[in-house]
Amino acid sequence: MHLTIRPAQQQDAAVVPEIMLQAMEDIIFRFIQKEDKKEAIRFLTDLFQQTGNLYSHENTFVAVDPEGNVMGSLTGYNGDHFIALRQPILELIQKQYANDLIPEPETVGQEFYIDSVAVSTAARGQGVGTELLKHAIKHAKNEDFKQIGLLVDLDNPNAKKLYERLGFTLGNKMPFVGGEYYHMYIQFV
């Protein structure tokens, strides 16, 4: 499949939040305190359309097919900005859902942090996630980051294998929003 990877735009909100939710369902359900896909997509759509938060379009790349259909998305940002980017989300879940949850930090900073990578159900198994990850690695190198990192769920060995194939090294085990994850990273020389 021929793909173009480009920065996301606000109008991608029609499809990207639904794709993102596939990678973050359990976490978003914890944020909104219910297992409601429509509400979770609405939550992500609001944040995606705004700026200055973890899930903003400004922190997202999309993979599009020759017809312009979004096949996948990758959200990532400077890990040093994590606390500031997380704050609007904490305020939103507190205000709209009376949820005082403050999740553990996903990144300790000093890296380009991949928050989520997700592929539409129609494009699974066609290399879309791999292309998005390769793009993110190249982006992180071009932006002079010393490292790129992400979390992988201990219960997702296939994702772990994919990341290892792309050169990610297994780091520390860490808790996050009720689950257990490994931090994986690539250090650039």
Side-chain angles (χ1 to χ4, degrees), residues 17 65 80-81 88 98 106 162:
D65 69 10
D80 292 341
H81 302 158
E106 298 171 56
L162 168 64

Side-chain angles (χ1 to χ4, degrees), residues 85-148:
L85 291 170
R86 180 181 69 174
Q87 191 58 36
I89 293 164
L90 297 180
E91 290 169 8
L92 181 64
I93 66 174
Q94 209 290 318
K95 184 176 150 193
Q96 280 194 351
Y97 306 99
N99 187 349
D100 293 325
L101 176 72
I102 300 177
E104 304 85 347
E106 298 171 56
T107 175
V108 293
Q110 300 181 7
E111 67 182 359
F112 181 77
Y113 179 71
I114 298 173
D115 191 290
S116 71
V117 60
V119 177
S120 75
T121 51
R124 291 243 171 91
Q126 298 179 41
V128 176
T130 299
E131 290 307 310
L132 283 162
L133 288 161
K134 286 179 180 177
H135 182 82
I137 293 166
K138 190 170 151 185
H139 171 79
K141 281 182 184 175
N142 290 344
E143 296 293 317
D144 292 327
F145 282 92
K146 303 276 186 267
Q147 172 172 306
I148 186 169

Side-chain angles (χ1 to χ4, degrees), residues 29-182:
F29 288 166
R30 292 276 311 270
F31 286 176
I32 66 173
Q33 300 192 88
K34 54 185 157 188
E35 291 187 23
D36 181 336
K37 283 190 179 191
K38 277 188 176 170
E39 180 62 22
I41 291 167
R42 191 184 70 69
F43 172 81
L44 283 171
T45 300
D46 289 347
L47 290 164
F48 181 83
Q49 290 176 318
Q50 297 170 21
T51 58
N53 72 76
L54 299 175
Y55 309 136
S56 171
H57 65 278
E58 67 188 354
N59 296 322
T60 303
F61 293 108
V62 292
V64 293
D65 69 10
E67 290 77 45
N69 300 307
V70 175
M71 297 285 108
S73 69
L74 182 145
T75 300
Y77 40 79
N78 183 335
D80 292 341
H81 302 158
F82 174 77
I83 297 297
L85 291 170
R86 180 181 69 174
Q87 191 58 36
I89 293 164
L90 297 180
E91 290 169 8
L92 181 64
I93 66 174
Q94 209 290 318
K95 184 176 150 193
Q96 280 194 351
Y97 306 99
N99 187 349
D100 293 325
L101 176 72
I102 300 177
E104 304 85 347
E106 298 171 56
T107 175
V108 293
Q110 300 181 7
E111 67 182 359
F112 181 77
Y113 179 71
I114 298 173
D115 191 290
S116 71
V117 60
V119 177
S120 75
T121 51
R124 291 243 171 91
Q126 298 179 41
V128 176
T130 299
E131 290 307 310
L132 283 162
L133 288 161
K134 286 179 180 177
H135 182 82
I137 293 166
K138 190 170 151 185
H139 171 79
K141 281 182 184 175
N142 290 344
E143 296 293 317
D144 292 327
F145 282 92
K146 303 276 186 267
Q147 172 172 306
I148 186 169
L150 51 78
L151 292 185
V152 62
D153 193 321
L154 267 59
D155 296 331
N156 194 345
N158 291 336
K160 182 177 164 280
K161 285 179 193 162
L162 168 64
Y163 302 144
E164 287 173 334
R165 271 198 319 270
L166 291 171
F168 284 85
T169 301
L170 199 58
N172 296 334
K173 192 188 301 186
M174 55 194 289
F176 179 65
V177 193
E180 284 224 287
Y181 295 80
Y182 284 113

